[in-house]
Amino acid sequence: MDQILDLHPEDFDVTVEPAVTRKTLNAYLRDTGLWFPVDPGADASLCGMAATSASGTNAVRYGTMRENVINLEVVLADGTIVHTAGKGRRPRKTSAGYNLTNLFVGSEGTLGIITKTTLRLYGIPEATVSAVCSFASVQAAVDSTVQILQAGVPIARIEFLDDVMMDACNRFSSLSYPVVPTLFLEFHGSERSLEEQVNVTEEITQSNEGSDFQWARDAETRSRLWRARHDAWYAAQALRPGCKAYSTDVCVPLSRLPQIIVETKEDLMESKLTGPIAGHVGDGNFHCLMVVDPSDPDELHRVHLFTERLAR
Amino acid sequence: MSGRVLVGVKRVIDYAVKIRVKPDHSGVVTDGVKHSMNPFCEIAVEEAVKLKEKKLMKEVVVVSCGPQQSQETIRTALAMGADRGIHVEVSGKDYETLGPLQVSKILAALAKKEDAQLIILGKQAIDDDCNQTGQMTAALLDWPQGTFASEVSLEKDGIKVVREIDGGLETIKISTPAVLTADLRLNTPRYATLPNIMKAKKKKIANVKPADLGVDLTSRLEVLRVDEPPQRQAGMKVETVDDLVSKLKDAGKV
């Protein structure tokens, strides 16, 4: 079941079977100028992403799986095959009937097994610009995020790394970023709109005393700028060799984000735990990557208690 | 040095497709199979477009030899930034026997007709792996060649090419006009974005027949048979190193 079926470039939709991964689909689509932007990080199976309602760094602009699955073919426990939006249907929107598609998206296999997914595609952006900016405090970084969104900048990715994570990344990738809360940004659009987006964003970060605003247009420099963010998971683990990383995933309204990050960091210090923070701050979502020594039961216990408090 | 770059692109079976041999062993199945631009040709187009963006070359003309569908490949190159295309129509039996010798004759004729300063090709096609067209084209034109290029810089007195060779990297300087063939690490080709694909629809693709260029398409090669690679045999586990040595001796490998 590894086929890419029914591509309709003018309707911006395609249907895939479970073995098709995100990268395979995007490689297949490259001649059409279309892509599927939901990017949870790994090269995941698209039907799997539907089953887990995957999100990722692009969600702030392109949405999560919930917004981008148009139809599903699902096999229920008794063998019945269901097409959640109707067999062969791929309307861009509908007001008819129950939203069964989104019932199954995120159901993680508890309601049925997804055997086909019809996905919403987007045009590959004409140009991309990446930027990095440092801030004196978490509050300043989050304030900037809120203001960028309020200014109507259609930002494609906005990622937050705290000082512990920046330190880890510097060490792991031999970089020399300032060890302070940092935002990693990416803009998509036409050449002209990019100029405007970058200028507006730079003004906002400056008004929040952001410093070291660097941006890049060509693929190689952009990769370099974003390396810190890409390597974050490994950098976190490398902080304490021999330890494993335990990822947490929390989502709160944007206005509560500075407070919860600050409280989380205080909790981490009191519990004597190592937990660099990275997050999709445009959605109010952050991951605290707990780096744990698997052979230390006391630490494991503290991590469990911490994550319970975090969830609350 | 300003002028025209001719880029050759080939329409091949997409690299991600699982290739199947036809039941009559005369070739591989191509009907209904996804095709796209040869990956090395994408790198060649990218390099040519970069030269134009740096204002080192004035015009990028992309050429493809093949049936109607080759025009799709030319359109992709136009969406990547090429200025205009030339479709050399070759179909049917002629297309089945089309190989580096015929293509290089076509490219040589076009280079003269279009007064090209530079020809950039992919180092080889992923379907036949010939790695001959660039070299033959240079020979027919009596132009210098910079093959397996991983770095190209245009200088006042020629082109500096860093070539990927078995021993490492070799740097040469060649005079223009010249033929270059692109290797993997020359650049990372850009995606054809949707707005650019739309814009490319307005760019011109000229139609040319090989006869118009005075090229004879007769092939000197005949494909006798195409087979799949032999099935991989199951391995076996052994308990000790002595076992391994005796088994290798039995199989005549040692």
Side-chain angles (χ1 to χ4, degrees):
Chain A
M1 301 182 86
D2 60 355
Q3 295 303 302
I4 297 174
L5 315 156
D6 307 328
L7 167 66
H8 300 105
E10 284 169 9
D11 298 322
F12 292 82
D13 65 62
V14 68
T15 303
V16 298
E17 292 186 335
V20 178
T21 65
R22 180 180 62 85
K23 286 191 185 162
T24 310
L25 178 62
N26 280 334
Y28 182 92
L29 291 173
R30 69 196 193 284
D31 292 334
T32 59
L34 298 172
W35 72 314
F36 185 68
V38 181
D39 176 4
D43 185 20
S45 140
L46 293 156
C47 292
M49 283 162 64
T52 54
S53 190
S55 166
T57 51
N58 275 325
V60 64
R61 171 140 171 192
Y62 296 102
T64 66
M65 287 309 279
R66 221 165 259 203
E67 287 82 47
N68 292 303
V69 174
I70 302 174
N71 198 352
L72 290 172
E73 180 187 87
V74 185
V75 180
L76 304 179
D78 64 355
T80 315
I81 300 178
V82 175
H83 293 97
T84 56
K87 190 164 165 60
R89 304 273 184 203
R90 41 190 186 87
R92 283 182 71 78
K93 63 173 199 186
T94 176
S95 332
Y98 292 108
N99 189 349
L100 291 179
T101 307
N102 277 359
L103 175 64
F104 284 94
V105 172
S107 61
E108 296 189 4
T110 55
L111 300 174
I113 298 182
I114 297 177
T115 50
K116 288 202 184 77
T117 304
T118 305
L119 299 162
R120 191 186 301 280
L121 302 172
Y122 296 76
I124 295 175
E126 225 181 290
T128 305
V129 163
S130 296
V132 183
C133 192
S134 310
F135 295 87
S137 65
V138 175
Q139 183 75 52
V142 179
D143 284 347
S144 299
T145 307
V146 174
Q147 286 160 20
I148 290 170
L149 293 170
Q150 288 174 329
V153 175
I155 194 137
R157 283 187 231 251
I158 181 161
E159 295 285 295
F160 168 80
L161 267 61
D162 76 341
D163 53 332
V164 179
M165 182 60 94
M166 290 308 292
D167 186 37
C169 294
N170 276 345
R171 291 185 210 212
F172 184 76
S173 310
S174 306
L175 303 165
S176 48
Y177 284 108
V179 180
V180 285
T182 308
L183 283 183
F184 285 80
L185 311 120
E186 193 172 286
F187 307 88
H188 294 172
S190 67
E191 301 278 352
R192 293 211 295 221
S193 85
L194 282 181
E195 226 186 283
E196 199 192 332
Q197 289 180 46
V198 172
N199 284 338
V200 170
T201 305
E202 194 170 5
E203 267 177 50
I204 291 173
T205 58
Q206 278 171 354
S207 73
N208 286 299
E209 269 137 57
S211 55
D212 293 317
F213 187 91
Q214 295 176 60
W215 61 272
R217 170 86 175 72
D218 65 280
E220 283 107 30
T221 323
R222 275 193 284 122
S223 261
R224 226 178 337 113
L225 273 186
W226 265 71
R227 252 186 80 203
R229 172 65 188 86
H230 277 138
D231 294 339
W233 175 254
Y234 303 104
Q237 286 187 285
L239 270 181
R240 294 176 65 197
C243 287
K244 296 222 169 258
Y246 182 74
S247 177
T248 64
D249 197 350
V250 174
C251 197
V252 298
L254 272 172
S255 55
R256 308 300 301 274
L257 198 61
Q259 180 199 358
I260 186 171
I261 291 186
V262 166
E263 282 177 13
T264 304
K265 285 167 86 70
E266 280 169 8
D267 196 336
L268 281 170
M269 285 213 279
E270 272 175 28
S271 318
K272 299 206 214 349
L273 295 168
T274 321
I277 294 176
H280 321 304
V281 73
D283 310 310
N285 176 207
F286 72 95
H287 302 292
C288 186
L289 305 175
M290 316 294 313
V291 189
V292 178
D293 179 359
S295 59
D296 180 349
D298 181 57
E299 192 175 13
L300 286 169
H301 184 63
R302 293 202 311 269
V303 168
H304 280 132
L305 291 179
F306 167 80
T307 50
E308 272 174 41
R309 287 194 298 270
L310 184 61
R312 241 172 290 121
Chain B
M1 183 205 325
S2 69
R4 195 166 285 130
V5 192
L6 202 65
V7 182
V9 296
K10 185 177 181 186
R11 178 177 180 265
V12 297
I13 296 180
D14 190 87
Y15 72 85
V17 168
K18 212 176 288 201
I19 308 286
R20 285 190 344 262
V21 174
K22 283 195 201 155
D24 66 357
H25 293 276
S26 63
V28 298
V29 177
T30 52
D31 280 339
V33 169
K34 180 165 204 286
H35 284 65
S36 49
M37 192 189 298
N38 182 41
F40 294 107
C41 298
E42 285 181 353
I43 298 175
V45 173
E46 175 65 27
E47 197 61 22
V49 173
K50 273 197 165 74
L51 286 175
K52 194 182 97 159
E53 285 171 347
K54 290 189 208 158
K55 305 229 192 318
L56 295 167
M57 283 282 141
K58 275 218 285 261
E59 194 188 23
V60 177
V61 181
V62 65
V63 182
S64 194
C65 308
Q68 267 298 97
Q69 296 96 318
S70 293
Q71 292 200 12
E72 290 160 17
T73 314
I74 298 177
R75 290 258 168 244
T76 306
L78 294 173
M80 284 171 72
D83 296 294
R84 58 184 167 90
I86 301 177
H87 172 216
V88 181
E89 263 186 74
V90 180
S91 46
K93 267 259 120 217
D94 281 336
Y95 181 59
E96 281 169 39
T97 56
L98 189 70
L101 182 58
Q102 294 79 19
V103 174
S104 53
K105 288 180 185 170
I106 292 172
L107 291 177
L110 279 173
K112 290 203 193 107
K113 186 162 174 271
E114 298 285 335
D115 189 28
Q117 259 71 58
L118 199 55
I119 299 180
I120 310 184
L121 305 174
K123 72 170 180 181
Q124 67 195 55
I126 59 173
D127 50 8
D128 56 22
D129 278 343
C130 281
N131 196 314
Q132 296 167 347
T133 309
Q135 292 85 339
M136 284 180 174
T137 310
L140 287 169
L141 288 166
D142 197 24
W143 287 7
Q145 54 186 265
T147 55
F148 305 99
S150 65
E151 218 183 289
V152 169
S153 24
L154 266 57
E155 296 175 359
K156 269 194 298 226
D157 53 345
I159 307 181
K160 190 175 91 171
V161 183
V162 177
R163 307 178 58 229
E164 298 215 3
I165 60 175
D166 285 346
L169 298 173
E170 178 192 54
T171 308
I172 59 171
K173 177 126 1 123
I174 54 179
S175 61
T176 53
V179 176
L180 303 175
T181 72
D183 207 325
L184 195 61
R185 279 159 278 271
L186 180 57
N187 60 49
T188 309
R190 64 196 67 190
Y191 279 102
T193 68
L194 200 51
N196 285 343
I197 291 178
M198 294 292 122
K199 284 188 216 154
K201 291 198 172 151
K202 302 202 192 100
K203 296 185 184 176
K204 288 203 174 23
I205 300 181
N207 262 315
V208 175
K209 295 205 176 43
D212 300 340
L213 300 169
V215 171
D216 172 20
L217 291 179
T218 328
S219 176
R220 297 164 199 204
L221 301 173
E222 186 193 335
V223 173
L224 297 177
R225 191 184 160 89
V226 176
D227 283 301
E228 282 183 11
Q231 293 280 10
R232 201 185 148 168
Q233 299 295 333
M236 80 179 105
K237 281 191 178 169
V238 292
E239 294 293 310
T240 69
V241 176
D242 291 325
D243 258 351
L244 176 63
V245 175
S246 77
K247 288 233 157 56
L248 285 171
K249 281 200 176 130
D250 287 343
K253 306 277 185 195
V254 167

